Amino acid sequence: MPEGSTRFNSKRQNHGLEETLDVSKLLDLAVPALESGTGVEASLPITNVNRAVGTILGSELTRKYGAAGLPDDTIRLYFTGSAGQSLGAFVPKGITITVEGDSNDYVGKGLSGGKLIIKPSAQATFAAEDNIIIGNTALYGATSGEAYISGIAGERFAVRNSGANVVVEGVGDHGCEYMTGGRVVVLGATGRNFAAGMSGGIAYVYDLDNTFIKRCNLEMVLLERVEEPEEIAELQGLITRHTALTGSNAGQRILDAWDEALPKFVRVIPKDYKRMMEQIRKVEQTGLTGEAALMAAFEANMRELARVGG
């Protein structure tokens, strides 16, 4: 067993870690990856008493390989059943967790580069896009990584997301609240107060019945159509990936009728974020790149704000 896992094992009796799936199974299964970066794969049942699955494993990976983690999909974990709270919390790059079933609250809390895939059981007879598959406050404070959720999420989805790319088929109230970065694609309806306090990143909402404007908090964001070719390709790519990984019927229907579906997507972008992105594009056209471009764009933006403010 790799160094670090031994240290955790020595504290099991004091901290109850013997009850965690990570300590009882996952650390042992992942030894080749933790020791030498060799790919591993495992399939296991999961129940709602299994909480924070992947978190201790992710900690061990980060301790060994740092913030860069491992290449995508080095550790592939497939679970069948109903996951408990905080599935995949803080999981770093290199770990992919797939659940065939459903999950509780706080899925992907603090996601830090890993990949989460949640889809209904292959034996399910219901329409995934019409049913809740994960609980509240998923992807809270996520910083990077990916999540593909075939079904509806509860309230406060992707709150304070600062860098993860996520596709889901519907969300409850307060989606993308205080979001500062990343991309969120919603292939169905949202609850009320969407995008409250959202200051960065972009959300794309499939507004089939043209009612989204009634449920969006417009204080800090603009609602637009998706028109730039590069952005259209990015959106289509995220939905294609979601469909391939989850078998989503909702995603496939949209892709099959892409020309008709695209105008129904609403682009939700913070006003200040849009202005800053436009300034960055302008200064990059002068030849500046990287940190220099960011600083020049920031200064230009401040001058513009001062001018408009009088």
Side-chain angles (χ1 to χ4, degrees):
M1 184 169 290
E3 181 184 355
S5 297
T6 302
R7 180 164 58 83
F8 275 118
N9 287 343
S10 68
K11 294 184 179 180
R12 289 185 196 180
Q13 298 304 318
N14 292 332
H15 297 282
L17 294 180
E18 71 276 13
E19 300 298 329
T20 69
L21 194 58
D22 287 59
V23 171
S24 65
K25 293 186 182 298
L26 301 187
L27 288 174
D28 286 338
L29 291 169
V31 164
L34 294 174
E35 289 189 342
S36 61
T38 302
V40 297
E41 183 174 338
S43 297
L44 297 164
I46 195 169
T47 71
N48 61 11
V49 301
N50 300 132
R51 292 170 291 192
V53 171
T55 301
I56 292 175
L57 174 61
S59 175
E60 293 296 280
L61 190 155
T62 301
R63 185 174 287 108
K64 176 69 180 289
Y65 295 99
L70 286 168
D72 288 336
D73 305 320
T74 299
I75 300 174
R76 289 161 292 171
L77 303 172
Y78 300 91
F79 297 103
T80 303
S82 296
Q85 290 192 350
S86 300
L87 173 79
F90 307 104
V91 162
K93 189 174 186 293
I95 298 177
T96 297
I97 294 176
T98 299
V99 172
E100 186 176 309
D102 54 48
S103 188
N104 215 304
D105 299 339
Y106 296 105
V107 169
K109 176 176 63 178
L111 186 69
S112 301
K115 186 189 305 176
L116 303 178
I117 302 161
I118 303 176
K119 56 186 179 180
S121 166
Q123 284 73 49
T125 58
F126 56 81
E129 64 269 28
D130 295 332
N131 288 271
I132 293 173
I133 194 168
I134 62 173
N136 299 322
T137 328
L139 283 301
Y140 179 89
T143 62
S144 57
E146 306 169 65
Y148 303 95
I149 300 156
S150 183
I152 299 173
E155 296 183 359
R156 300 191 182 282
F157 183 82
V159 170
R160 299 190 187 279
N161 175 34
S162 64
N165 292 335
V166 186
V167 183
V168 66
E169 297 175 6
V171 300
D173 294 345
H174 313 296
C176 297
E177 189 177 32
Y178 304 120
M179 181 166 144
T180 62
R183 300 289 183 268
V184 171
V185 181
V186 183
L187 302 181
T190 74
R192 63 185 178 85
N193 202 37
F194 190 90
M198 180 179 172
S199 61
I202 302 175
Y204 304 94
V205 177
Y206 188 55
D207 186 22
L208 190 59
D209 56 5
N210 295 313
T211 61
F212 173 64
I213 191 170
K214 299 177 183 178
R215 298 188 296 276
C216 187
N217 187 316
L218 299 174
E219 184 176 356
M220 295 179 64
V221 300
L222 300 170
L223 303 185
E224 303 176 337
R225 295 301 175 191
V226 187
E227 298 176 339
E228 295 294 328
E230 289 184 3
E231 192 168 16
I232 291 172
E234 180 184 23
L235 174 60
Q236 187 177 28
L238 284 168
I239 299 171
T240 299
R241 189 160 171 76
H242 171 75
T243 303
L245 291 171
T246 67
S248 168
N249 290 325
Q252 192 61 59
R253 285 196 300 271
I254 288 171
L255 294 172
D256 288 344
W258 182 247
D259 289 342
E260 292 76 28
L262 179 61
K264 295 181 173 65
F265 275 96
V266 178
R267 179 186 196 243
V268 184
I269 184 167
K271 301 168 187 177
D272 291 343
Y273 180 74
K274 179 180 180 180
R275 183 167 55 245
M276 187 66 181
M277 294 298 291
E278 289 173 346
Q279 292 289 359
I280 290 173
R281 281 196 292 270
K282 287 179 182 178
V283 299
E284 286 180 339
Q285 290 172 0
T286 69
L288 291 176
T289 59
E291 190 69 25
L294 289 175
M295 291 304 299
F298 176 76
E299 292 172 0
N301 187 53
M302 293 304 293
R303 288 195 297 271
E304 179 66 17
L305 289 175
R307 184 186 66 79
V308 172

